[in-house]
Amino acid sequence: MSTTTQSTTSDAAAGEARILVAGVPWDFYARFVDGLPAWSRVRAAYDGRDMEIMVKGPMHEDFRGLLGRFVEEVAAESGLRFLGLGETTWNRRDVERGLESDQCYYFDPDKIATAKAALKRKDNDVAGYPNPDLAIEVDISPSLVDRPAIYAALRVPEIWRFDGEALRIERLTDAGVYALVDRSGWLAVDPSEVLEWITADDAQDRGAWAIRLREWGRARGRVPEN
C-alpha cells in the first residue's frame, strides 16, 4: 500500500494543523483511531478513501465548549430530553466512514433509551450506540475531507457547522445531502441566535453567561416534535 501526505498551510491564529493521508483502506483508519489515547488533541476522519488527521487548537476547543453548553442549557430550560456523548468517534465499518464529532446529541426517545442502556452496561464499543441526532462541527481551518458527506453516510439528521465567523444549521434531505435551514429541527433557535451567544462579550465568563443563557432558554419554549 502506498500513501501520500499533504499538509495545509499553518494557520497560526487557528492553532490547528491538518494532514491528508490519501488512498488508505478502512483498516488503516480503524487501527489509527484505536491507537489514539483518550486525552489526545489529535482527531481523525475517514471519507471512504482519504483520512484527515487534525491537531486541535485553543480556539477550536473554546468554541466547541461554548456550542455544547449552548445546546445543553437551552434544551434543559426548554424541557427537552436529550443525551450528549461529546467527542465520541463514530467509526462505522458497515459504511466504511468515520469521524469524531466536536459535540453530539440524541433527542429521539428511542435513541436515548438505547444509548442509556449501553452506558448502564458500561459498553465502551461505539457499535452499541445509535448514530447521533445532532452533531456539531468546529472547523476554524478548512477541512481536507468532506465531513458533511461522512455525516450523511451515518444518517445524522442535523449538523451545526462553525468556521470561526459564521454558523450554519443544516438538515439531511431525502436525497442524502445536507441543506441549509433557517431553524434547528431540535431546538427553537436559528443560526444568528446561536452565533450571537457564542460570540457574546461575556462568553468567557461562563458563570454569568450561563445564567443569562438559561433565562433566555426558558423563554424559547419547545419546538414541534420531530
Side-chain angles (χ1 to χ4, degrees):
M1 180 189 70
S2 62
T3 64
T4 59
T5 62
Q6 173 185 338
S7 300
T8 58
T9 302
S10 177
D11 186 339
E16 294 181 351
R18 296 178 187 264
I19 297 173
L20 182 70
V21 186
V24 300
W26 163 262
D27 287 343
F28 181 94
Y29 161 76
R31 287 195 303 270
F32 181 87
V33 169
D34 288 344
L36 290 174
W39 47 262
S40 175
R41 291 174 59 237
V42 174
R43 70 177 188 174
Y46 183 69
D47 64 6
R49 183 185 63 182
D50 301 330
M51 181 174 78
E52 178 189 68
I53 302 170
M54 173 188 172
V55 179
K56 300 178 287 186
M59 284 178 58
H60 181 284
E61 289 299 274
D62 186 53
F63 282 121
R64 185 188 71 80
L66 282 167
L67 283 161
R69 187 74 178 269
F70 178 91
V71 169
E72 292 169 15
E73 297 288 6
V74 173
E77 294 301 334
S78 301
L80 294 173
R81 292 183 64 231
F82 69 95
L83 177 63
L85 287 186
E87 297 176 275
T88 296
T89 299
W90 300 101
N91 51 339
R92 298 303 198 194
R93 182 174 289 276
D94 58 335
V95 294
E96 294 195 344
R97 301 290 189 278
L99 82 177
E100 176 188 296
S101 303
D102 283 309
Q103 302 280 5
C104 59
Y105 296 94
Y106 298 115
F107 291 93
D108 179 272
D110 292 337
K111 288 186 178 182
I112 291 174
T114 300
K116 281 186 173 180
L119 290 169
K120 186 175 182 179
R121 63 177 181 265
K122 299 183 179 179
D123 187 351
N124 206 34
D125 186 347
V126 72
Y129 296 79
N131 292 323
D133 294 313
L134 167 64
I136 292 175
E137 281 288 307
V138 177
D139 289 313
I140 306 300
S141 59
S143 179
L144 298 176
V145 294
D146 188 348
R147 297 179 69 87
I150 301 173
Y151 280 115
L154 301 179
R155 307 302 298 174
V156 176
E158 182 170 311
I159 55 177
W160 293 11
R161 302 173 62 193
F162 180 63
D163 64 5
E165 294 183 359
L167 187 133
R168 301 156 60 96
I169 296 179
E170 302 176 356
R171 297 283 293 183
L172 189 63
T173 68
D174 292 339
V177 296
Y178 287 97
L180 281 172
V181 293
D182 296 331
R183 198 174 185 82
S184 169
W186 301 113
L187 301 176
V189 297
D190 62 49
S192 64
E193 291 170 327
V194 181
L195 181 62
E196 183 177 354
W197 274 100
I198 65 171
T199 58
D201 290 339
D202 65 347
Q204 302 312 313
D205 182 356
R206 290 291 204 275
W209 181 84
I211 290 171
R212 288 202 306 115
L213 179 59
R214 286 193 288 270
E215 293 173 350
W216 184 82
R218 280 193 292 273
R220 304 304 292 172
R222 289 178 177 267
V223 291
E225 290 295 328
N226 231 32

